Amino acid sequence: MIWIVILVLVMVAMACSIIYLTNRIGKIGFVRKISRENKKINKLFSIVLLAMIIAVATVFLNFVNAIIIILHLVVFWILCDLIGLIIIKIRKKKFNTYYSWIFAVLITAIYLFIGWNQVNNVVETNYKLTTEKDIEPIRIVQFADSHVGTTFSGKGLEKYVSEINSKNPDVVVITGDFVDDDTSIDDMRDACKALSGLQTKFGVYYCFGNHDMGYYGKKNRGYDGNDLIKELEKNNVVVLQDDTVLIDDRFYIVGRQDKSVDTDYYKRDDIREITKKLDKDKYIIVLDHQPNDYDNEAESDADLVLSGHTHGGQLIPITFIGELLKINDSTYGYKKMKNTDFIVTSGISDWSIKFKTGCFSEYVVIDIK
């Protein structure tokens, strides 16, 4: 229901944006000159020009990103118009030429180029955690939301495997959305094969995200979640679905099924039940793709919960909407509840939206002492 409301709001905003931009494009000097000040021709030319902009953005990116571009353009155009009005009041004289559109287009282009750059240039983010439990230091490298095929191919993942190896991880964890609904079967296999190159002391562990199983069935991309499991396991990745693994007799990794499996007929296991029989003197790490079960996870005696899913909020205007609407317990970064540390990564890649204006793409290095 919440997502339907959001979709309706976006469509309303888009409709208002088209009306606003059509009006403003008509004020541009060369448009007025071409239309010879004829209102009907001016309006028609403005609509055609705006439609061409949307069409080009859709062809080179997709319709979702065309909407993102238009909405940002409107926001910056309104701001430029307001600034222009303030300047006119100060100088007490109107400008002979309508300049706002030039600044609006330039600012939008620069701003979204930065957003595109922040998606495609992956950074390393470090966390240093402490525990009262008597364990030797552990180094974890976490990544999530690779959505293979969006910003890099299956073979392109090899670059990040090399970077992760250079961090000398004790363990690597993948917290969901390794592939996307549009990830080809070849890219999926190449990505799984790339994971076989990871060099760790204690292995690679994976939990499902909401896109990994595929929303549209096996026919859409040629494989399903079971095929993905086979390829991951073939390449030495341990797949955890409400399972626990004791490592080196000193810490557990618990991998949860994704919340998206919950229906009227099936529920994933309660995290408190999963950890009930574990030795609480040992450090407990929980992998849970969606960061929205914090209360139960804090009560489960988990020491650390690692998630993805939110893409760090993706865009500045929607950075914290998930928390405001109670969809997620956290959007990005570190949080502590009771004795449990929570970390949400912004993801190593992207999905349909090709811009991140609220964060960078990343992989996470966590040192526990």
Side-chain angles (χ1 to χ4, degrees), residues 3-4 21 27 29 44 55 81 105 109 145 149 169 174 194 206 210 223 254 270-271 275 280 337 340 352:
W3 291 112
I4 293 173
L21 288 177
K27 294 180 179 292
L44 179 61
D81 274 344
V105 170
D145 301 290
I174 305 165
Y206 160 90
N210 52 302
Y223 63 94
V254 179
D270 189 306
I271 186 62
T275 61
K280 301 305 191 301
M337 290 176 60
T340 305
S352 186

PDB file of all heavy atoms in Angstrom, residues 3-4 21 27 29 44 55 81 105 109 145 149 169 174 194 206 210 223 254 270-271 275 280 337 340 352:
ATOM      1  N   TRP A   3       3.880   1.613  -1.148  1.00  0.00           N
ATOM      2  CA  TRP A   3       4.550   1.788  -2.439  1.00  0.00           C
ATOM      3  C   TRP A   3       3.578   2.309  -3.491  1.00  0.00           C
ATOM      4  O   TRP A   3       3.970   3.061  -4.398  1.00  0.00           O
ATOM      5  CB  TRP A   3       5.196   0.481  -2.878  1.00  0.00           C
ATOM      6  CG  TRP A   3       6.346   0.115  -2.012  1.00  0.00           C
ATOM      7  CD1 TRP A   3       6.436  -0.936  -1.142  1.00  0.00           C
ATOM      8  CD2 TRP A   3       7.589   0.821  -1.886  1.00  0.00           C
ATOM      9  NE1 TRP A   3       7.635  -0.926  -0.484  1.00  0.00           N
ATOM     10  CE2 TRP A   3       8.377   0.128  -0.918  1.00  0.00           C
ATOM     11  CE3 TRP A   3       8.118   1.962  -2.498  1.00  0.00           C
ATOM     12  CZ2 TRP A   3       9.649   0.557  -0.563  1.00  0.00           C
ATOM     13  CZ3 TRP A   3       9.391   2.379  -2.130  1.00  0.00           C
ATOM     14  CH2 TRP A   3      10.135   1.675  -1.176  1.00  0.00           C
ATOM     15  N   ILE A   4       2.303   1.941  -3.391  1.00  0.00           N
ATOM     16  CA  ILE A   4       1.294   2.466  -4.317  1.00  0.00           C
ATOM     17  C   ILE A   4       1.142   3.972  -4.105  1.00  0.00           C
ATOM     18  O   ILE A   4       1.067   4.749  -5.061  1.00  0.00           O
ATOM     19  CB  ILE A   4      -0.060   1.741  -4.115  1.00  0.00           C
ATOM     20  CG1 ILE A   4       0.062   0.270  -4.528  1.00  0.00           C
ATOM     21  CG2 ILE A   4      -1.156   2.429  -4.928  1.00  0.00           C
ATOM     22  CD1 ILE A   4      -1.158  -0.563  -4.214  1.00  0.00           C
ATOM     23  N   LEU A  21       7.455  22.786 -16.735  1.00  0.00           N
ATOM     24  CA  LEU A  21       8.546  22.898 -17.707  1.00  0.00           C
ATOM     25  C   LEU A  21       8.042  23.376 -19.066  1.00  0.00           C
ATOM     26  O   LEU A  21       8.731  24.145 -19.752  1.00  0.00           O
ATOM     27  CB  LEU A  21       9.262  21.552 -17.855  1.00  0.00           C
ATOM     28  CG  LEU A  21      10.129  21.116 -16.668  1.00  0.00           C
ATOM     29  CD1 LEU A  21      10.714  19.737 -16.898  1.00  0.00           C
ATOM     30  CD2 LEU A  21      11.241  22.121 -16.393  1.00  0.00           C
ATOM     31  N   LYS A  27       9.348  30.363 -22.368  1.00  0.00           N
ATOM     32  CA  LYS A  27       9.918  31.684 -22.079  1.00  0.00           C
ATOM     33  C   LYS A  27      11.350  31.847 -22.602  1.00  0.00           C
ATOM     34  O   LYS A  27      11.900  32.945 -22.591  1.00  0.00           O
ATOM     35  CB  LYS A  27       9.902  31.943 -20.567  1.00  0.00           C
ATOM     36  CG  LYS A  27       8.498  32.070 -19.984  1.00  0.00           C
ATOM     37  CD  LYS A  27       8.565  32.326 -18.483  1.00  0.00           C
ATOM     38  CE  LYS A  27       7.177  32.487 -17.899  1.00  0.00           C
ATOM     39  NZ  LYS A  27       6.503  33.718 -18.361  1.00  0.00           N
ATOM     40  N   GLY A  29      14.426  32.375 -24.958  1.00  0.00           N
ATOM     41  CA  GLY A  29      14.547  33.270 -26.103  1.00  0.00           C
ATOM     42  C   GLY A  29      14.401  32.605 -27.458  1.00  0.00           C
ATOM     43  O   GLY A  29      13.596  33.034 -28.294  1.00  0.00           O
ATOM     44  N   LEU A  44       3.125  24.229 -28.342  1.00  0.00           N
ATOM     45  CA  LEU A  44       3.367  22.975 -29.063  1.00  0.00           C
ATOM     46  C   LEU A  44       4.855  22.682 -29.163  1.00  0.00           C
ATOM     47  O   LEU A  44       5.296  21.553 -28.913  1.00  0.00           O
ATOM     48  CB  LEU A  44       2.749  23.053 -30.461  1.00  0.00           C
ATOM     49  CG  LEU A  44       2.930  21.811 -31.350  1.00  0.00           C
ATOM     50  CD1 LEU A  44       2.264  20.597 -30.703  1.00  0.00           C
ATOM     51  CD2 LEU A  44       2.364  22.060 -32.748  1.00  0.00           C
ATOM     52  N   ALA A  55      12.494  11.420 -24.139  1.00  0.00           N
ATOM     53  CA  ALA A  55      12.748  10.267 -25.013  1.00  0.00           C
ATOM     54  C   ALA A  55      14.233   9.923 -25.054  1.00  0.00           C
ATOM     55  O   ALA A  55      14.614   8.750 -24.965  1.00  0.00           O
ATOM     56  CB  ALA A  55      12.227  10.555 -26.420  1.00  0.00           C
ATOM     57  N   ASP A  81      14.607  30.332 -10.632  1.00  0.00           N
ATOM     58  CA  ASP A  81      13.590  31.373 -10.826  1.00  0.00           C
ATOM     59  C   ASP A  81      13.442  32.249  -9.586  1.00  0.00           C
ATOM     60  O   ASP A  81      13.333  33.478  -9.682  1.00  0.00           O
ATOM     61  CB  ASP A  81      12.238  30.727 -11.159  1.00  0.00           C
ATOM     62  CG  ASP A  81      12.077  30.440 -12.648  1.00  0.00           C
ATOM     63  OD1 ASP A  81      12.849  30.999 -13.442  1.00  0.00           O
ATOM     64  OD2 ASP A  81      11.186  29.647 -13.011  1.00  0.00           O
ATOM     65  N   VAL A 105      19.649  24.056 -16.100  1.00  0.00           N
ATOM     66  CA  VAL A 105      20.153  22.917 -16.882  1.00  0.00           C
ATOM     67  C   VAL A 105      21.580  22.563 -16.461  1.00  0.00           C
ATOM     68  O   VAL A 105      21.917  21.384 -16.276  1.00  0.00           O
ATOM     69  CB  VAL A 105      20.083  23.226 -18.392  1.00  0.00           C
ATOM     70  CG1 VAL A 105      20.838  22.164 -19.197  1.00  0.00           C
ATOM     71  CG2 VAL A 105      18.632  23.296 -18.855  1.00  0.00           C
ATOM     72  N   ALA A 109      22.708  19.101 -14.640  1.00  0.00           N
ATOM     73  CA  ALA A 109      23.688  18.247 -15.314  1.00  0.00           C
ATOM     74  C   ALA A 109      24.873  17.944 -14.396  1.00  0.00           C
ATOM     75  O   ALA A 109      25.308  16.790 -14.279  1.00  0.00           O
ATOM     76  CB  ALA A 109      24.172  18.909 -16.600  1.00  0.00           C
ATOM     77  N   ASP A 145      23.961  -5.769  -2.729  1.00  0.00           N
ATOM     78  CA  ASP A 145      23.296  -5.034  -3.811  1.00  0.00           C
ATOM     79  C   ASP A 145      24.198  -4.828  -5.033  1.00  0.00           C
ATOM     80  O   ASP A 145      24.273  -3.722  -5.578  1.00  0.00           O
ATOM     81  CB  ASP A 145      22.786  -3.686  -3.284  1.00  0.00           C
ATOM     82  CG  ASP A 145      21.814  -3.869  -2.129  1.00  0.00           C
ATOM     83  OD1 ASP A 145      20.693  -4.348  -2.373  1.00  0.00           O
ATOM     84  OD2 ASP A 145      22.185  -3.545  -0.980  1.00  0.00           O
ATOM     85  N   GLY A 149      25.188  -6.717 -13.563  1.00  0.00           N
ATOM     86  CA  GLY A 149      24.722  -6.327 -14.886  1.00  0.00           C
ATOM     87  C   GLY A 149      24.251  -4.886 -14.954  1.00  0.00           C
ATOM     88  O   GLY A 149      23.959  -4.381 -16.039  1.00  0.00           O
ATOM     89  N   PRO A 169      40.772 -10.336   4.331  1.00  0.00           N
ATOM     90  CA  PRO A 169      39.617 -10.607   5.193  1.00  0.00           C
ATOM     91  C   PRO A 169      39.690 -11.986   5.844  1.00  0.00           C
ATOM     92  O   PRO A 169      40.186 -12.945   5.246  1.00  0.00           O
ATOM     93  CB  PRO A 169      38.445 -10.548   4.217  1.00  0.00           C
ATOM     94  CG  PRO A 169      39.034 -10.964   2.897  1.00  0.00           C
ATOM     95  CD  PRO A 169      40.432 -10.416   2.895  1.00  0.00           C
ATOM     96  N   ILE A 174      28.086 -11.648   1.853  1.00  0.00           N
ATOM     97  CA  ILE A 174      27.300 -10.998   0.795  1.00  0.00           C
ATOM     98  C   ILE A 174      25.869 -10.937   1.298  1.00  0.00           C
ATOM     99  O   ILE A 174      25.216 -11.972   1.455  1.00  0.00           O
ATOM    100  CB  ILE A 174      27.376 -11.789  -0.525  1.00  0.00           C
ATOM    101  CG1 ILE A 174      28.836 -11.995  -0.937  1.00  0.00           C
ATOM    102  CG2 ILE A 174      26.600 -11.076  -1.625  1.00  0.00           C
ATOM    103  CD1 ILE A 174      29.023 -13.051  -2.015  1.00  0.00           C
ATOM    104  N   ALA A 194      33.525 -15.497 -10.334  1.00  0.00           N
ATOM    105  CA  ALA A 194      34.429 -14.472  -9.800  1.00  0.00           C
ATOM    106  C   ALA A 194      34.596 -14.626  -8.293  1.00  0.00           C
ATOM    107  O   ALA A 194      35.692 -14.418  -7.750  1.00  0.00           O
ATOM    108  CB  ALA A 194      33.909 -13.082 -10.138  1.00  0.00           C
ATOM    109  N   TYR A 206      26.669 -16.096   2.242  1.00  0.00           N
ATOM    110  CA  TYR A 206      25.685 -15.336   1.471  1.00  0.00           C
ATOM    111  C   TYR A 206      24.279 -15.543   2.015  1.00  0.00           C
ATOM    112  O   TYR A 206      23.914 -16.662   2.408  1.00  0.00           O
ATOM    113  CB  TYR A 206      25.754 -15.798   0.009  1.00  0.00           C
ATOM    114  CG  TYR A 206      24.536 -15.503  -0.835  1.00  0.00           C
ATOM    115  CD1 TYR A 206      24.423 -14.320  -1.557  1.00  0.00           C
ATOM    116  CD2 TYR A 206      23.491 -16.431  -0.919  1.00  0.00           C
ATOM    117  CE1 TYR A 206      23.304 -14.060  -2.333  1.00  0.00           C
ATOM    118  CE2 TYR A 206      22.369 -16.174  -1.692  1.00  0.00           C
ATOM    119  CZ  TYR A 206      22.286 -14.994  -2.397  1.00  0.00           C
ATOM    120  OH  TYR A 206      21.175 -14.750  -3.157  1.00  0.00           O
ATOM    121  N   ASN A 210      15.804  -9.549  -1.839  1.00  0.00           N
ATOM    122  CA  ASN A 210      14.479  -9.652  -2.453  1.00  0.00           C
ATOM    123  C   ASN A 210      14.516  -9.830  -3.964  1.00  0.00           C
ATOM    124  O   ASN A 210      13.558 -10.324  -4.557  1.00  0.00           O
ATOM    125  CB  ASN A 210      13.629  -8.420  -2.095  1.00  0.00           C
ATOM    126  CG  ASN A 210      14.330  -7.114  -2.403  1.00  0.00           C
ATOM    127  OD1 ASN A 210      15.422  -6.844  -1.900  1.00  0.00           O
ATOM    128  ND2 ASN A 210      13.719  -6.268  -3.212  1.00  0.00           N
ATOM    129  N   TYR A 223      16.810 -18.561 -15.170  1.00  0.00           N
ATOM    130  CA  TYR A 223      17.228 -19.270 -13.956  1.00  0.00           C
ATOM    131  C   TYR A 223      16.418 -18.762 -12.780  1.00  0.00           C
ATOM    132  O   TYR A 223      15.788 -17.699 -12.842  1.00  0.00           O
ATOM    133  CB  TYR A 223      18.729 -19.078 -13.690  1.00  0.00           C
ATOM    134  CG  TYR A 223      19.143 -17.653 -13.431  1.00  0.00           C
ATOM    135  CD1 TYR A 223      19.239 -17.144 -12.140  1.00  0.00           C
ATOM    136  CD2 TYR A 223      19.443 -16.787 -14.494  1.00  0.00           C
ATOM    137  CE1 TYR A 223      19.614 -15.825 -11.902  1.00  0.00           C
ATOM    138  CE2 TYR A 223      19.819 -15.462 -14.272  1.00  0.00           C
ATOM    139  CZ  TYR A 223      19.895 -14.992 -12.971  1.00  0.00           C
ATOM    140  OH  TYR A 223      20.252 -13.686 -12.742  1.00  0.00           O
ATOM    141  N   VAL A 254      25.048 -16.171  11.110  1.00  0.00           N
ATOM    142  CA  VAL A 254      23.646 -16.556  10.948  1.00  0.00           C
ATOM    143  C   VAL A 254      23.119 -15.856   9.702  1.00  0.00           C
ATOM    144  O   VAL A 254      23.155 -14.628   9.611  1.00  0.00           O
ATOM    145  CB  VAL A 254      22.803 -16.128  12.171  1.00  0.00           C
ATOM    146  CG1 VAL A 254      21.337 -16.525  11.977  1.00  0.00           C
ATOM    147  CG2 VAL A 254      23.370 -16.710  13.462  1.00  0.00           C
ATOM    148  N   ASP A 270      11.833 -16.894  13.127  1.00  0.00           N
ATOM    149  CA  ASP A 270      12.065 -15.796  14.051  1.00  0.00           C
ATOM    150  C   ASP A 270      13.534 -15.816  14.474  1.00  0.00           C
ATOM    151  O   ASP A 270      14.063 -16.855  14.870  1.00  0.00           O
ATOM    152  CB  ASP A 270      11.162 -15.960  15.281  1.00  0.00           C
ATOM    153  CG  ASP A 270      11.189 -14.740  16.189  1.00  0.00           C
ATOM    154  OD1 ASP A 270      12.298 -14.317  16.594  1.00  0.00           O
ATOM    155  OD2 ASP A 270      10.109 -14.222  16.521  1.00  0.00           O
ATOM    156  N   ILE A 271      14.215 -14.686  14.392  1.00  0.00           N
ATOM    157  CA  ILE A 271      15.638 -14.632  14.708  1.00  0.00           C
ATOM    158  C   ILE A 271      15.911 -15.054  16.151  1.00  0.00           C
ATOM    159  O   ILE A 271      16.952 -15.655  16.454  1.00  0.00           O
ATOM    160  CB  ILE A 271      16.217 -13.214  14.436  1.00  0.00           C
ATOM    161  CG1 ILE A 271      17.743 -13.196  14.632  1.00  0.00           C
ATOM    162  CG2 ILE A 271      15.533 -12.173  15.300  1.00  0.00           C
ATOM    163  CD1 ILE A 271      18.504 -14.096  13.708  1.00  0.00           C
ATOM    164  N   THR A 275      18.656 -18.097  17.145  1.00  0.00           N
ATOM    165  CA  THR A 275      19.831 -17.930  18.018  1.00  0.00           C
ATOM    166  C   THR A 275      19.647 -18.554  19.409  1.00  0.00           C
ATOM    167  O   THR A 275      20.577 -18.538  20.214  1.00  0.00           O
ATOM    168  CB  THR A 275      20.159 -16.433  18.190  1.00  0.00           C
ATOM    169  OG1 THR A 275      19.036 -15.774  18.809  1.00  0.00           O
ATOM    170  CG2 THR A 275      20.462 -15.784  16.847  1.00  0.00           C
ATOM    171  N   LYS A 280      26.051 -18.187  23.727  1.00  0.00           N
ATOM    172  CA  LYS A 280      26.072 -16.719  23.757  1.00  0.00           C
ATOM    173  C   LYS A 280      27.430 -16.149  24.186  1.00  0.00           C
ATOM    174  O   LYS A 280      27.627 -14.940  24.135  1.00  0.00           O
ATOM    175  CB  LYS A 280      24.972 -16.198  24.704  1.00  0.00           C
ATOM    176  CG  LYS A 280      23.551 -16.623  24.314  1.00  0.00           C
ATOM    177  CD  LYS A 280      23.209 -16.232  22.889  1.00  0.00           C
ATOM    178  CE  LYS A 280      21.727 -16.402  22.558  1.00  0.00           C
ATOM    179  NZ  LYS A 280      21.191 -17.749  22.719  1.00  0.00           N
ATOM    180  N   MET A 337      21.629  -0.818  19.222  1.00  0.00           N
ATOM    181  CA  MET A 337      20.449  -1.016  20.056  1.00  0.00           C
ATOM    182  C   MET A 337      20.777  -2.077  21.095  1.00  0.00           C
ATOM    183  O   MET A 337      21.219  -3.177  20.733  1.00  0.00           O
ATOM    184  CB  MET A 337      19.246  -1.458  19.206  1.00  0.00           C
ATOM    185  CG  MET A 337      18.691  -0.368  18.299  1.00  0.00           C
ATOM    186  SD  MET A 337      17.339  -0.953  17.237  1.00  0.00           S
ATOM    187  CE  MET A 337      16.129  -1.480  18.460  1.00  0.00           C
ATOM    188  N   THR A 340      23.575  -4.768  20.598  1.00  0.00           N
ATOM    189  CA  THR A 340      23.729  -5.192  19.201  1.00  0.00           C
ATOM    190  C   THR A 340      24.160  -4.030  18.318  1.00  0.00           C
ATOM    191  O   THR A 340      23.552  -2.956  18.345  1.00  0.00           O
ATOM    192  CB  THR A 340      22.417  -5.786  18.665  1.00  0.00           C
ATOM    193  OG1 THR A 340      21.989  -6.846  19.521  1.00  0.00           O
ATOM    194  CG2 THR A 340      22.595  -6.326  17.258  1.00  0.00           C
ATOM    195  N   SER A 352      17.789   0.095 -10.906  1.00  0.00           N
ATOM    196  CA  SER A 352      17.167   0.865 -11.989  1.00  0.00           C
ATOM    197  C   SER A 352      17.609   2.324 -11.998  1.00  0.00           C
ATOM    198  O   SER A 352      17.888   2.889 -13.046  1.00  0.00           O
ATOM    199  CB  SER A 352      15.643   0.772 -11.873  1.00  0.00           C
ATOM    200  OG  SER A 352      15.016   1.394 -12.971  1.00  0.00           O
TER     201      SER A 352
END
